[in-house]
Amino acid sequence: MISDREAAKYPFLNDAVTYVETLGLTLENLVDPSYTGVLERGERRVSQAILSGEATVELEDTLTELLSFPVANMFITAMAEEYLFRRYALSEAARAHELLKDEAEERIAKLARLEFGWDLRLVQERVGEKLYRFEAHFKDYLKNAASFREPEWKLVNRLIRNGYVLLTKRDASRLLQEEIQRRIGSLVSKRRRISLPDPLRIRVNNLQKLFDENRSRLTGQALPTKLLTEALPPCIRHAFQGLMAGRRASHMERFALTSFLINAGMGIDDIVKLFASITDFDEQFTRYQIEHIAGLRGSRTRYTPPTCSTLKTHRVCYEPDRLCERIKHPLSYYRIKVRDYQRE
Amino acid sequence: MAEQDRGNEQYITEQFKRYYATEAQRVEAPPEIRRREFGFLSFGGRTMFRHIGFQDPQQFRGYLREYAPAHTYFSAAYYKDPRASMAEKGWLGADLVFDIDSDHFDLPCQKEHDRWTCRTCGKEGKGHPPETCHDCKKATFIEETWLCENCLRAAKYEAQKLLDILIEDFGFQASGELSVNFSGNRGFHVHVRSPSAKELDQLARREIVDYIRGIGIEAEYQGLIARRGRGGTASEQRGWRGRSIRALYDFIAEATPEQIKGLKLGRGASLNLIESRDEILTALMNKQPSRVVKYIDGKSMGKLLEAAVREQASAIDTVVTTDLRRLIRLPNTLHGKTGWLTQNIPIDDLADYDPLTQAIAFTEGTERVFINRAPEIVLSGETYGPFEEESLELPLAVAIFLLCKNAARVER
C-alpha cells in the first residue's frame, strides 16, 4: 500500500491511481464545498502548465495534492487542446523530476523497474569526476534519451558495455522524467467528451481563456504562404540549390526538401512545377510522390521534415550555422528566420 | 545499367527455375514466417510484388519453384497482417538489420572495374559517376558496377567491425541473436533477432546507427579533454571510450605529415603531432589520454578524433537500419544481379569466408556466350577475362554472372 505522501509526490504511479480509485470519488462529490481546495489546486496545476511549464510541489496537504492531479487531468482532457496535452505532461513531469533527483538511489531504481519496466542495476563506479550509480539496458536508455539533443546524451558519448549504459543519479532522474511525461501524456490525451457540472465547467472556461491569451506566445505564429528563400536553413538551401543544378541527391535529401517545402506552405502545384522544370522526372510521377508526402495519397499521413539529428545521420545536414546550434528541427530554423525578417 | 536483353531474361529465369526445382527445399524460411511480408522482383519486372504473405515454409518454397524470382525479399518487421496495405499491416516490431554495401565505399579497385556513361552526351569515365557530367552538366548516368575480391574484403572488414560492436557494446549473443549474410552481390547483411532489438523505435535505431558510425562523437566525453577536476587515467574503457583511444593511436601512428596538415588543426597541435609523436603515442598506449592534452588543444582534438574514428567505425548504410518496414534479401535465395546466393555464414566462419567460391550456385555445366565488355573476374579460384567483344564457352557460373550483369548474351 502506498503512503499518502508518496502518492501525493508521484500521483501518476499505478499504486497512486489505484488508491484514488478506491476512494470512489464522483463528479458530484467534487462539487461539494469541502473539495474546493482540491479544485483550486487542480486548476492551478493547469495554469502553472500554461504559464510557467512546471507545476510546483505542494505537499503541505497531501490529500489535496494527490486528488488535484486527476482533477487537473480531467480539466486538460476537457479542454481538448492538442498542444496542452504535451505541455501539461511536461509540466507535471518536471515537477516529478524536482522530487526524484533528491530520492535515494534505491527508490529511483525501484520506480524505474516496477513502474516503467526498466532493466536496471545499481552499481558504484567512478570515472573522472562522475559517480555512476546505475546501469540501464540500452533499450531503456534509448527509449528516453534518443530525442535529447545535447552531445552528452548521444549513445556514442556514453559508457556502454555488454548492453548496459552507465548512469549517474542525475541522468537516471532525467530519463525517468521522460517516462513520466509519456505516461501523463497518454493519461490526458484521450478524445473524450466530458460533461461537467457547472462549478467545474466554470473552471475549465477560465483555463481556456488563460490558454487563449497565451496561445500565440506558446504555439508560435503561422508561417507566411509564400516561401521565403532567404530564411531557409543551410541543409534545405543546399538541397534546393543542388536540385536547381541537377546534382544527384539521395532519397533522404529529396524527401527532406519536399516535406520541408510542403510544411513551409508552398503549394503542391508550385512544387511540382519546380521539380519538373529542372529534372528529368515525368510530371505525373513527381506529382504522385509529392502528394504522397503531403498526405493526399496512400497512408494519408502528412510527413514532416526529418529532425536535425536524422539529417545528420543521413549526411543531409550541411554547414550548420549558429542558429542551427539552437534548434533541432529545420522548420524551427525557418520559423525563427521568418519572424526576424518580418520584424525588419 | 542498360535494360536487360529479353532473351537473357528468359534464359536466366529458366536457369533459376531449374535451380529452385531442386534447391528450394533447402531455403530456410525466416523465423515467424506468418508475421513477415515478402516481396519479389522478376527479371525485367519494374515493380516489386510485395505485401505477400505465406502460411508456412512449404507454401513459400512452392512460390520459389513456380516463379523463380530474380530477387527475394522479406520484411525485417513483424506484422499482424503482412498482406494488408502498409497502413493496415499492424506493426509488431522489427529485427535490427544492417546493410554493408561496398558500392558506398570509395575504393581504388572501383576505378579499375566500374564505369559510367552520361545518358545525355555519352561521355564515359571510370569509378563512381560525378555529381553532374563535366561536359553537359546533366546528372543521369548509365552505370556498370562490378565487384572483385578487394571490394568484398573491404565489405567483410566492415561487417567484422560491426559484429564486434554489437557483441561487445550492445551485448548481443553471437550465437542465437546475430546472423550474418553475404548479400549475394557487393556486401553483407547483419540481422539482430532479440526481444530488446525488436521493440526499438526509429529514433532509437538512428542512435544505434550514429553509434556504429561514430557520428556525433565528442572528445570531451571520451576522456580526451581534461577539465578541471577530471583527467587522470581513464580506467573505464567501455564503448567508444576505449575504441577512440585505439583509433587515435592507430591514426596518429600511421598518418603522414601531409595527412596531419590536411586536417587543418591548430598550428601547435599539428607541429606537436609531428615532433612529439612518440610521446603522444606512449601516453595513448598507457591509456593516459589526459596527458595528450598538453600537445593537442581541445578543438584540434575534436577534428582529429572525427578523422580517426572512421577507421574504427563500421560503414553501415544509414537508411536500411532506420527503416522500420524495410524489405531485405532472404538468405539462401538467388541474387538476380549475379546469379550467386545470398548466403548465411556462421559467425565463426566469417574470417575465412570467400563468397567468390562459396556463394556460387551454378556449379555444373557450361554455356557459350558473346560478351560485350567485362573486367576480370575470379570465381572459385579461376581467373576469367577481361573480355571485349568475344564469344566463349564458359563455366555456367561465369556465363550466368555475365548475363545477370547484362554484359553478355547467350549464343545458341
Side-chain angles (χ1 to χ4, degrees):
Chain A
M1 190 62 197
I2 191 166
S3 73
D4 277 12
R5 190 177 165 80
E6 281 301 294
K9 279 163 83 179
Y10 307 116
F12 48 84
L13 297 182
N14 292 324
D15 280 351
V17 172
T18 314
Y19 176 52
V20 170
E21 276 167 10
T22 60
L23 298 177
L25 281 180
T26 63
L27 284 175
E28 285 68 39
N29 293 147
L30 288 172
V31 180
D32 188 280
S34 59
Y35 285 102
T36 307
V38 171
L39 296 185
E40 267 170 11
R41 174 61 181 137
E43 186 178 337
R44 199 160 62 251
R45 285 182 108 122
V46 177
S47 63
Q48 286 173 337
I50 294 171
L51 294 172
S52 76
E54 181 171 343
T56 51
V57 177
E58 300 180 12
L59 293 172
E60 297 74 27
D61 176 355
T62 49
L63 196 62
T64 298
E65 184 73 347
L66 169 63
L67 294 179
S68 63
F69 176 69
V71 167
N73 289 354
M74 182 175 66
F75 289 164
I76 289 285
T77 304
M79 288 171 77
E81 291 279 358
E82 195 81 34
Y83 177 83
L84 264 191
F85 294 157
R86 239 186 75 83
R87 187 158 172 101
Y88 171 75
L90 176 67
S91 163
E92 284 293 325
R95 172 190 171 281
H97 179 249
E98 258 324 284
L99 293 163
L100 263 180
K101 66 182 177 35
D102 299 326
E103 296 282 4
E105 280 80 1
E106 290 72 18
R107 176 79 183 106
I108 291 174
K110 195 175 153 204
L111 200 106
R113 288 195 205 115
L114 296 182
E115 284 289 327
F116 300 108
W118 286 16
D119 180 355
L120 180 92
R121 309 169 187 156
L122 281 165
V123 298
Q124 182 129 11
E125 285 191 46
R126 185 172 283 285
V127 179
E129 69 196 0
K130 286 201 167 173
L131 176 62
Y132 292 100
R133 290 305 323 271
F134 308 93
E135 49 179 21
H137 193 275
F138 74 85
K139 73 172 163 44
D140 298 316
Y141 178 83
L142 288 179
K143 189 165 58 171
N144 298 295
S147 61
F148 293 173
R149 180 167 50 129
E150 297 81 3
E152 67 166 304
W153 291 104
K154 274 205 86 66
L155 193 59
V156 73
N157 290 322
R158 283 275 154 176
L159 292 163
I160 170 172
R161 185 177 56 206
N162 248 329
Y164 289 84
V165 186
L166 283 178
L167 301 176
T168 63
K169 190 167 152 183
R170 181 182 153 272
D171 294 339
S173 338
R174 180 67 187 85
L175 293 174
L176 278 171
Q177 183 186 332
E178 289 296 299
E179 289 279 3
I180 295 165
Q181 186 183 336
R182 269 202 307 279
R183 174 172 294 183
I184 295 174
S186 69
L187 280 177
V188 295
S189 65
K190 293 167 192 146
R191 300 240 153 263
R192 196 171 54 187
R193 282 194 71 85
I194 308 177
S195 65
L196 296 173
D198 278 348
L200 299 179
R201 171 58 51 200
I202 289 166
R203 291 183 191 270
V204 170
N205 290 346
N206 289 343
L207 289 169
Q208 186 66 53
K209 200 165 150 244
L210 183 69
F211 179 60
D212 288 339
E213 285 161 11
N214 286 276
R215 188 189 295 269
S216 65
R217 175 178 69 83
L218 296 172
T219 60
Q221 304 280 339
L223 288 168
T225 48
K226 195 170 176 302
L227 187 74
L228 196 64
T229 48
E230 297 88 338
L232 291 177
C235 54
I236 300 298
R237 179 188 301 270
H238 181 244
F240 193 82
Q241 288 168 343
L243 183 79
M244 297 298 218
R247 175 168 55 78
R248 291 212 303 176
S250 68
H251 169 75
M252 183 56 82
E253 190 175 345
R254 265 181 287 139
F255 173 75
L257 177 61
T258 312
S259 54
F260 183 93
L261 293 178
I262 291 167
N263 282 278
M266 194 166 173
I268 291 189
D269 289 342
D270 292 335
I271 303 176
V272 174
K273 256 185 245 155
L274 175 74
F275 279 24
S277 67
I278 40 197
T279 60
D280 302 334
F281 294 156
D282 92 35
E283 185 170 327
Q284 277 312 101
F285 191 62
T286 306
R287 175 177 291 275
Y288 179 83
Q289 287 187 316
I290 294 168
E291 288 181 347
H292 193 91
I293 294 171
L296 303 174
R297 291 180 182 274
S299 62
R300 309 276 151 174
T301 321
R302 175 174 170 149
Y303 290 90
T304 46
T307 59
C308 292
S309 50
T310 302
L311 295 174
K312 280 201 188 91
T313 299
H314 299 294
R315 317 232 153 175
V316 179
C317 174
Y318 181 80
E319 294 184 355
D321 62 19
R322 283 177 61 194
L323 180 51
C324 291
E325 286 168 22
R326 288 168 42 208
I327 50 102
K328 51 178 168 181
H329 199 282
L331 276 175
S332 314
Y333 184 107
Y334 185 66
R335 267 199 199 95
I336 293 171
K337 270 278 173 93
V338 163
R339 208 177 52 210
D340 291 350
Y341 273 101
Q342 285 169 340
R343 281 212 188 113
E344 276 169 18
Chain B
M1 202 152 279
E3 274 180 35
Q4 196 101 33
D5 187 275
R6 297 298 286 160
N8 279 4
E9 285 165 10
Q10 213 177 2
Y11 176 84
I12 306 168
T13 307
E14 278 165 23
Q15 290 292 352
F16 273 36
K17 249 186 191 150
R18 200 169 58 82
Y19 177 85
Y20 279 125
T22 58
E23 302 300 315
Q25 211 47 39
R26 296 191 200 174
V27 178
E28 242 179 89
E32 300 190 48
I33 184 170
R34 294 162 82 160
R35 296 252 171 267
R36 307 281 191 169
E37 178 196 357
F38 286 78
F40 301 95
L41 265 168
S42 60
F43 284 102
R46 281 172 169 271
T47 52
M48 192 186 290
F49 293 102
R50 59 181 303 181
H51 312 300
I52 295 172
F54 296 106
Q55 286 304 304
D56 57 58
Q58 281 317 321
Q59 193 190 11
F60 163 64
R61 289 171 188 140
Y63 187 100
L64 290 182
R65 273 190 290 265
E66 186 172 353
Y67 296 100
H71 304 276
T72 302
Y73 306 90
F74 76 109
S75 62
Y78 303 83
Y79 300 106
K80 260 196 211 106
D81 182 4
R83 298 179 203 195
S85 69
M86 222 62 230
E88 307 284 318
K89 275 184 162 50
W91 190 86
L92 300 169
D95 298 332
L96 181 62
V97 293
F98 299 94
D99 174 32
I100 291 164
D101 186 341
S102 63
D103 190 38
H104 299 166
F105 306 167
D106 225 354
L107 299 168
C109 61
Q110 288 161 341
K111 299 218 167 49
E112 299 297 318
H113 54 64
D114 290 355
R115 287 167 183 269
W116 53 267
T117 310
C118 174
R119 270 192 199 279
T120 315
C121 72
K123 185 182 170 66
E124 283 193 335
K126 286 201 152 191
H128 292 301
E131 285 194 343
T132 53
C133 177
H134 298 301
D135 287 3
C136 70
K137 308 292 176 215
K138 292 283 184 193
T140 49
F141 302 94
I142 302 164
E143 293 181 51
E144 292 173 54
T145 53
W146 295 82
L147 56 128
C148 66
E149 43 190 332
N150 273 323
C151 317
L152 292 171
R153 203 179 304 122
K156 187 160 89 175
Y157 180 56
E158 298 302 317
Q160 285 169 316
K161 285 191 290 184
L162 169 63
L163 288 169
D164 286 346
I165 296 175
L166 291 175
I167 294 166
E168 286 167 20
D169 296 10
F170 289 91
F172 291 118
Q173 301 299 314
S175 58
E177 292 189 323
L178 297 178
S179 69
V180 55
N181 304 320
F182 170 55
S183 75
N185 191 10
R186 285 178 307 226
F188 289 85
H189 299 157
V190 171
H191 298 236
V192 183
R193 285 191 194 110
S194 112
S196 59
K198 191 172 169 178
E199 63 184 61
L200 296 167
D201 64 14
Q202 199 168 17
L203 270 184
R205 286 170 205 247
R206 209 204 59 222
E207 272 300 298
I208 293 174
V209 167
D210 284 356
Y211 188 91
I212 288 163
R213 295 198 61 132
I215 293 174
I217 196 163
E218 292 203 3
E220 182 186 341
Y221 303 102
Q222 307 297 322
L224 292 168
I225 294 176
R227 275 178 166 178
R228 197 147 38 112
R230 192 183 279 209
T233 60
S235 57
E236 261 300 337
Q237 298 301 316
R238 289 183 181 221
W240 267 102
R241 228 171 147 101
R243 205 172 282 117
S244 54
I245 294 176
R246 285 201 299 278
L248 276 177
Y249 184 94
D250 292 350
F251 188 82
I252 294 170
E254 286 162 26
T256 60
E258 287 68 38
Q259 274 174 306
I260 289 169
K261 280 177 194 145
L263 293 174
K264 301 205 168 80
L265 309 176
R267 195 186 302 167
S270 292
L271 209 62
N272 288 339
L273 275 169
I274 296 164
E275 289 179 356
S276 310
R277 183 195 294 236
D278 291 347
E279 288 86 342
I280 295 172
L281 289 177
T282 308
L284 287 171
M285 192 156 66
N286 296 337
K287 307 246 161 77
Q288 293 171 312
S290 54
R291 291 207 181 166
V292 179
V293 177
K294 68 174 177 182
Y295 299 105
I296 307 168
D297 62 283
K299 207 172 167 198
S300 300
M301 180 55 93
K303 287 185 186 172
L304 192 61
L305 184 63
E306 204 180 305
V309 298
R310 265 178 234 143
E311 186 48 35
Q312 296 278 329
S314 171
I316 53 169
D317 182 284
T318 58
V319 177
V320 171
T321 304
T322 48
D323 184 348
L324 297 176
R325 294 173 174 76
R326 193 77 180 184
L327 292 176
I328 191 157
R329 255 169 223 290
L330 184 71
N332 307 320
T333 58
L334 293 169
H335 192 305
K337 281 184 184 165
T338 54
W340 303 343
L341 284 168
T342 302
Q343 196 166 47
N344 181 255
I345 310 148
I347 289 182
D348 291 341
D349 299 348
L350 183 62
D352 298 321
Y353 177 75
D354 173 20
L356 296 180
T357 305
Q358 288 163 265
I360 307 303
F362 298 94
T363 49
E364 283 167 21
T366 60
E367 191 58 74
R368 177 163 284 278
V369 289
F370 179 83
I371 308 133
N372 298 324
R373 180 171 78 186
E376 180 183 290
I377 176 82
V378 181
L379 283 189
S380 302
E382 294 281 328
T383 306
Y384 304 92
F387 306 99
E388 183 92 48
E389 311 251 326
E390 54 197 301
S391 170
L392 283 170
E393 172 123 1
L394 290 168
L396 193 56
V398 183
I400 287 183
F401 174 68
L402 294 170
L403 292 168
C404 284
K405 285 279 178 195
N406 206 25
R409 62 174 189 269
V410 182
E411 285 201 320
R412 284 244 171 108

